[in-house]
Amino acid sequence: MKLATSLCGGVAIAAMASLAPAAHADSPSNEELLARIENLEAQNAALMARLDGMIEDRQIERVPAGDGPEVATETLANRTGFVSADAAYGFDVLDAAEHVNKKPIIQLKARAEDRLATPLTISGSIIGIANYQDSNRDSKFGYLMRNPTSANQIGDHVSEALIHSAQLGFTANFSDWLTGYAEILYNPQQNFGPGTITGRDRNQLLMQRAYLMIGDLERLPVYGVVGKVDIPFGLNDTVSPFTNSTSWHSFAGLAYGAQLGYVDENLMIRAMAIQGGAQFRAANAPVEGTVVPSRVNNFAVDANYTFNLNEADWMMLGASYQHGSAYCQNYPIFHFNPCDDNNPAWAAYAEASVGNFELLGEFAETTDVWPGSAVPIPTNPLSVFDAQKTRSWTVGGRYGFGDMLLSGKRDHYVSLEFSKFRAGEEGAPWERQNQFVLGYSRYLIDNVNIFAEAIHVDGFAPLNFLSGGNFPDGSTWSDNDAKTEVILVGAHTAF
């Protein structure tokens, strides 16, 4: 970069020196001036040819006009040699609402765009919320963005003002082919720790994701990942600014394993070999009748294709299969209990962007019934309900308007989404849980989203002891007629 500046500066100085009148000498004639100009043009052409050659050989970097703070603002990037930050990348890679199981793809594309050029890129995200929730059942709140336990939600209405989650992400650029990623998460509302949200066990930091990835999309459209990574199953995205869909709560999962993928402009194919046992609740595949993850005996595959409708609009269709889902346990159901056998699941999904509208829909279902969705005790009145396949589906859309931001987002969005989880036979207290979300987003800048949501939930169907088994009288805390209303505001910031 310095050499390029010196060369260009030298041309300018030489030009001024050649054209300036010499001291104590007569002024040059027109012919002499023309000769000097022709000579300077030849020198300039030679210097520029040398400069272009050095740029092609990557000995130096071409400096755009206005390099410095203006470029940093336009790219939302701050690079200091060894460590860098890219706010748009940080928002995307830490976002739990969109591209939730495609984080490696986000990183590969960012690397292809030379946005992760330094050895280390540090990202961070904080989501703060305030909400009011009301329920028609005492201490039963079906809103799933926090664990609905009686230890944290007492009475028929609750209110909160807190940090929902905070994250730190570290993306290491080891070589052109090798990327490392580690993500630290603080989420007192949604972890499985006992006690209240102020308890020590709920206020721990955990390593949410950590993996090594090999791949360079500029050279080859394939990649490989090993570590703790999202399972490539379904879409599991949402158009809502904050609240995840019921499909995400039902079928999204993290797991230890190895993932291989193919990614080009339109086609994406991913496959993952998954460690056995109950992998962070999801992807349960028994190992000798236990949940000990001592075998790679589970897997998932996903494929999708994007159709370009025109230069701006597109539609994507996809399908997935997972050999062992979360829904294989017998009665009474409890997280991380072993299963007699695995219960596969499949999913189909679609997403489209047409004009200012974005639409999505997906459906997922197990191939076999969930054994624990039936009560195997003949004397229990709840035994009249047969076991059912577990399914979930989502449909939603949002409309963007206002100014276009640097990242391609609009600065205003309104959204509406419906999602459904079905776990039991019709009429069973644990039959279903439905969720409606009306949302509004205001992006102040690409990496700061101020949002508001109105949420309505029909049903209360917690997965733990879904069909009972935790009360001496054999009853269940699931309630098909429970209703929850939520008003929520918040801010999602990232760097």
Side-chain angles (χ1 to χ4, degrees):
M1 184 181 294
K2 291 182 179 178
L3 180 57
T5 303
S6 300
L7 288 172
C8 293
V11 172
I13 292 171
M16 293 185 346
S18 297
L19 294 177
H24 309 295
D26 295 334
S27 298
S29 65
N30 291 338
E31 290 78 6
E32 291 174 327
L33 283 173
L34 288 173
R36 291 180 184 180
I37 290 173
E38 291 176 356
N39 184 47
L40 283 171
E41 288 178 346
Q43 292 177 2
N44 183 62
L47 285 170
M48 293 306 297
R50 180 184 175 192
L51 183 61
D52 287 338
M54 296 175 74
I55 290 172
E56 289 179 3
D57 294 337
R58 296 191 174 182
Q59 297 179 32
I60 58 174
E61 179 182 356
R62 185 182 295 278
V63 182
D67 183 44
E70 292 183 3
V71 172
T73 300
E74 290 179 357
T75 60
L76 301 170
N78 180 16
R79 298 193 173 110
T80 60
F82 181 80
V83 179
S84 68
D86 187 304
Y89 165 76
F91 193 99
D92 290 342
V93 80
L94 297 175
D95 189 9
E98 297 185 58
H99 310 296
V100 295
N101 60 22
K102 298 183 179 69
K103 305 306 181 184
I105 311 302
I106 290 174
Q107 293 164 332
L108 288 168
K109 291 184 177 179
R111 290 203 61 169
E113 295 167 0
D114 201 30
R115 294 168 57 195
L116 306 178
T118 58
L120 179 64
T121 300
I122 299 179
S123 307
S125 173
I126 297 178
I127 299 177
I129 61 170
N131 64 60
Y132 176 87
Q133 302 184 39
D134 183 85
S135 175
N136 67 340
R137 296 288 190 271
D138 185 59
S139 303
K140 292 183 178 181
F141 293 85
Y143 183 52
L144 293 175
M145 291 306 289
R146 49 122 69 251
N147 288 339
T149 65
S150 58
N152 282 289
Q153 294 170 305
I154 302 299
D156 58 6
H157 65 271
V158 297
S159 54
E160 303 172 311
L162 41 68
I163 295 298
H164 176 268
S165 61
Q167 297 160 276
L168 276 176
F170 303 89
T171 308
N173 183 0
F174 295 118
S175 71
D176 290 344
W177 287 86
L178 189 60
T179 305
Y181 182 67
E183 179 185 319
I184 299 172
L185 172 66
Y186 165 75
N187 64 337
Q189 285 201 310
Q190 284 192 287
N191 64 45
F192 291 104
T196 71
I197 59 172
T198 60
R200 183 186 64 180
D201 291 333
R202 278 182 174 262
N203 281 270
Q204 303 292 325
L205 299 178
L206 60 90
M207 189 65 72
Q208 180 74 347
R209 297 175 179 87
Y211 52 82
L212 283 172
M213 175 170 62
I214 185 169
D216 183 350
L217 295 185
E218 289 189 294
R219 301 180 184 179
L220 197 66
V222 298
Y223 72 93
V225 173
V226 62
K228 185 182 180 184
V229 64
D230 296 273
I231 299 171
F233 179 84
L235 182 63
N236 294 315
D237 284 3
T238 178
V239 294
S240 302
F242 169 71
T243 297
N244 290 114
S245 71
T246 302
S247 295
W248 181 89
H249 287 282
S250 304
F251 285 100
L254 281 167
Y256 290 125
Q259 187 177 135
L260 292 174
Y262 173 90
V263 182
D264 66 17
E265 184 177 351
N266 299 99
L267 179 64
M268 181 186 301
I269 302 173
R270 299 174 294 164
M272 182 173 177
I274 303 170
Q275 200 78 10
Q279 283 287 318
F280 310 105
R281 189 191 68 79
N284 198 334
V287 179
E288 299 289 340
T290 74
V291 291
V292 179
S294 61
R295 295 179 185 170
V296 180
N297 64 344
N298 197 359
F299 67 91
V301 293
D302 171 79
N304 61 69
Y305 190 87
T306 299
F307 301 87
N308 297 316
L309 305 178
N310 51 50
E311 291 185 358
D313 301 332
W314 53 268
M315 179 178 67
M316 183 264 288
L317 300 176
S320 307
Y321 174 83
Q322 185 171 309
H323 191 57
S325 70
Y327 305 107
C328 57
Q329 296 165 340
N330 292 317
Y331 175 95
I333 298 165
F334 190 75
H335 291 329
F336 309 109
N337 275 357
C339 301
D340 293 336
D341 200 359
N342 62 292
N343 189 0
W346 64 276
Y349 55 91
E351 192 174 12
S353 176
V354 180
N356 289 354
F357 286 96
E358 297 175 36
L359 308 170
L360 65 78
E362 73 174 308
F363 178 90
E365 184 180 55
T366 59
T367 61
D368 299 322
V369 300
W370 186 5
S373 64
V375 179
I377 304 172
T379 57
N380 189 322
L382 297 175
S383 64
V384 298
F385 300 109
D386 294 331
Q388 298 292 309
K389 294 180 180 180
T390 306
R391 69 176 59 152
S392 185
W393 58 275
T394 298
V395 60
R398 68 182 171 196
Y399 178 78
F401 59 98
D403 295 332
M404 185 75 74
L405 301 177
L406 295 172
S407 61
K409 302 172 184 173
R410 294 284 182 176
D411 62 357
H412 294 269
Y413 287 93
V414 291
S415 60
L416 180 63
E417 183 174 274
F418 171 78
S419 55
K420 181 184 184 74
F421 169 65
R422 181 190 175 224
E425 188 179 22
E426 183 177 355
W430 56 90
E431 175 191 348
R432 53 94 178 105
Q433 187 163 309
N434 301 336
Q435 177 179 272
F436 299 83
V437 182
L438 175 64
Y440 168 74
S441 285
R442 170 68 168 96
Y443 283 89
L444 303 181
I445 53 178
D446 296 76
N447 55 309
V448 177
N449 180 20
I450 307 299
F451 57 84
E453 292 181 340
I455 304 112
H456 172 79
V457 181
D458 283 327
F460 178 76
L463 296 188
N464 269 343
F465 302 110
L466 175 84
S467 51
N470 55 329
F471 298 127
D473 63 357
S475 61
T476 175
W477 56 9
S478 296
D479 191 332
N480 203 14
D481 296 320
K483 299 184 186 302
T484 307
E485 314 291 342
V486 184
I487 297 295
L488 181 145
V489 295
H492 181 184
T493 62
F495 68 85

